[in-house]
Amino acid sequence: MIPLSIPNLNGNEWKYIKECLDTNWVSSVGSYVTRFEQEFAAYVGAPYAVSMSSGTAALHIALILAGVKPHNLVIAPNITFAATLNSIVYLNAEPLLLDVCPHTWQMDTQLLHDFLTTQTYLNQNTCYLRQTNQRIAALMPVHVLGNMVNMQHLLQLSEQFHIPIVEDSTEALGSYYMGKHAGTLGQTGCFSFNGNKIMTTGGGGMLVTHNEQLARRAKHLSTQAKTDPVAYMHNEVGYNYRMVNLLAAMGVAQLEQMPQFLSRKAQIAHHYTTAFAAHLPFIQPQLTTTHTQPNHWLYTVKLPQWRNLLAHLRTQGIETRPLWTPMNQLPMYAQCRYITHHHVAAQLFEHCLSLPCSTNLTPQEQEVVIEAIHHFYTSGNAAMH
Ligand SMILES: Cc1ncc(COP(=O)(O)O)c(C=O)c1O
């Protein structure tokens, strides 16, 4: 089986985790939690990083920090993983969906500009939707597949309309926009260390920010909002969202390998793109947003008949995945307000397929994948389905 995107555990994972086991520091306190947070903050260039039990937990806390309240609106792209929107609904707020750009597949900031300009108003530095007088409490860009949103434009809109930015950079560790790391351009940025991500802790997340008060509050909320180190005193409803020492140890080991992971992801992407351009030019890669250096996390292309190709590749032992079903096609989000002209998200869903691109994919395995795709389109297989 050639898997889609799996962990690569060739560094100090065993050594650091063994140290936790040997010293009995496996749980929610221990030196690796602090070390992982400090090293992660330094890596992305943010002063503060707070570890979490998942990327979803980080998003949930980030939206609380942004002041999202029940019935508020939070603007998010229609192409994302459901967890982005779920974190909004955890707060009884409402997602307001935005279509994406046809080539970069990121939130369409021009569409957002037109919407904010024509359909909202400002009152005491707060933005409201004209139609319902609901407050628009946050902008939630998702750096889809490790490419990035046009952050220059988004930051300008955020300032003009007084709406804070919570970056869903769960897929974008190692991606940069104008030299700044993903997740460090908004008020907060959230990362995921889920098993399929560029680096993993098995499961886990991180919230980063430039604001010390927000960082303190993130730590407080994610550790049960306890106010006394000994007595059971809590000053608000908290969450058990902390990362455990065992997993933080794995995070430290994985972070050490980020340079290799990034260069391997870039090689894999380059190899696929040049092979397709030479022999199957109708297969189109995702285009990189201007000013962006992507991490090439999950290599995904637009091509005809992905359903048949997916089935064909599965018979060859090759795992592929479609793009996420657009959020407005999921039952719980079908009623959300959706800003779109051309339904780009739906078109992308009909054409996109992610290909195997684990950092430990061998060049030989990648050739097998390319050859199998070539065979599908040239042997009449595609036409037969
Ligand atoms: C865009 C996006 N948002 C949120 C998440 C949630 O992260 P986690 O699985 O760590 O909760 C993921 C990944 O899993 C994701 O890809």
Side-chain angles (χ1 to χ4, degrees):
M1 181 72 177
I2 301 179
L4 184 72
S5 182
I6 56 165
N8 185 345
L9 309 173
N10 285 313
N12 286 317
E13 291 84 359
W14 276 102
K15 184 174 161 209
Y16 296 163
I17 291 175
K18 183 171 184 305
E19 195 184 312
C20 297
L21 296 171
D22 288 344
T23 58
N24 214 28
W25 287 104
V26 295
S27 191
S28 47
V29 269
S31 61
Y32 277 110
V33 173
T34 314
R35 185 169 156 193
F36 185 34
E37 289 175 343
Q38 285 172 351
E39 292 181 6
F40 193 89
Y43 183 81
V44 301
Y48 307 101
V50 181
S51 57
M52 301 272 168
S53 53
S54 69
T56 310
L59 291 170
H60 184 188
I61 297 292
L63 289 177
I64 297 175
L65 299 181
V68 175
K69 298 281 184 312
H71 310 299
N72 287 173
L73 293 165
V74 175
I75 298 181
N78 194 18
I79 284 287
T80 185
F81 180 61
T84 312
L85 268 64
N86 294 346
S87 67
I88 300 169
V89 175
Y90 294 164
L91 294 169
N92 294 314
E94 250 179 64
L96 199 165
L97 297 170
L98 181 66
D99 206 357
V100 297
C101 299
H103 302 297
T104 62
W105 315 347
Q106 309 297 312
M107 199 179 217
D108 187 336
T109 54
Q110 190 52 47
L111 207 52
L112 179 62
H113 167 271
D114 297 347
F115 167 79
L116 290 172
T117 311
T118 58
Q119 299 193 43
T120 68
Y121 66 93
L122 281 173
N123 185 7
Q124 297 186 337
N125 288 341
T126 305
C127 185
Y128 295 90
L129 182 67
R130 271 186 208 287
Q131 204 184 0
T132 60
N133 294 321
Q134 279 171 289
R135 174 176 168 242
I136 302 179
L139 298 173
M140 219 174 169
V142 179
H143 303 304
V144 173
L145 303 173
N147 190 16
M148 287 187 67
V149 172
N150 178 348
M151 288 305 289
Q152 196 174 24
H153 196 189
L154 196 74
L155 284 162
Q156 185 229 312
L157 294 174
S158 159
E159 203 175 320
Q160 185 182 346
F161 291 91
H162 299 272
I163 315 173
I165 294 176
V166 171
E167 288 181 73
D168 182 338
S169 29
T170 46
E171 302 175 354
L173 182 62
S175 301
Y176 292 83
Y177 184 87
M178 288 185 164
K180 289 192 176 158
H181 197 288
T184 65
L185 294 112
Q187 181 184 73
T188 50
C190 301
F191 295 86
S192 165
F193 310 120
N194 187 23
N196 65 2
K197 294 295 183 285
I198 191 162
M199 66 160 262
T200 184
T201 58
M206 192 74 82
L207 182 152
V208 303
T209 180
H210 290 275
N211 182 315
E212 184 183 357
Q213 264 181 328
L214 293 184
R216 278 184 198 282
R217 188 153 154 71
K219 192 53 138 183
H220 182 64
L221 286 171
S222 61
T223 55
Q224 306 280 27
K226 201 158 176 279
T227 50
D228 187 296
V230 181
Y232 292 101
M233 277 308 300
H234 309 256
N235 63 352
E236 58 185 316
V237 176
Y239 300 87
N240 183 11
Y241 281 172
R242 66 188 111 204
M243 175 178 274
V244 297
N245 203 44
L246 268 178
L247 299 188
M250 185 160 162
V252 170
Q254 286 270 289
L255 194 61
E256 289 170 351
Q257 298 165 79
M258 274 302 290
Q260 297 95 285
F261 291 167
L262 281 170
S263 76
R264 189 68 196 114
K265 286 282 188 193
Q267 278 169 1
I268 292 169
H270 183 253
H271 189 141
Y272 274 132
T273 299
T274 45
F276 295 146
H279 303 294
L280 301 167
F282 53 86
I283 297 184
Q284 294 164 18
Q286 180 188 31
L287 297 189
T288 302
T289 306
T290 314
H291 305 306
T292 298
Q293 188 187 321
N295 67 358
H296 302 284
W297 165 57
L298 192 65
Y299 189 81
T300 305
V301 277
K302 271 175 85 175
L303 41 70
Q305 302 193 46
W306 70 257
R307 290 178 178 82
N308 297 337
L309 178 60
L310 180 148
H312 171 75
L313 293 176
R314 194 190 293 136
T315 67
Q316 311 291 303
I318 298 169
E319 186 189 15
T320 60
R321 279 279 182 93
L323 197 61
W324 306 285
T325 305
M327 294 298 105
N328 73 328
Q329 295 182 28
L330 301 181
M332 62 286 195
Y333 299 123
Q335 303 309 320
C336 289
R337 219 173 245 97
Y338 179 25
I339 310 163
T340 180
H341 286 323
H342 304 295
H343 290 274
V344 176
Q347 292 166 35
L348 290 177
F349 174 58
E350 283 309 316
H351 290 100
C352 286
L353 193 70
S354 302
L355 305 181
C357 56
S358 310
T359 50
N360 44 22
L361 179 80
T362 65
Q364 294 77 8
E365 286 172 326
Q366 190 170 9
E367 277 311 315
V368 169
V369 177
I370 292 168
E371 185 46 44
I373 295 172
H374 192 259
H375 187 255
F376 173 78
Y377 286 113
T378 54
S379 67
N381 255 339
M384 267 160 41
H385 285 282

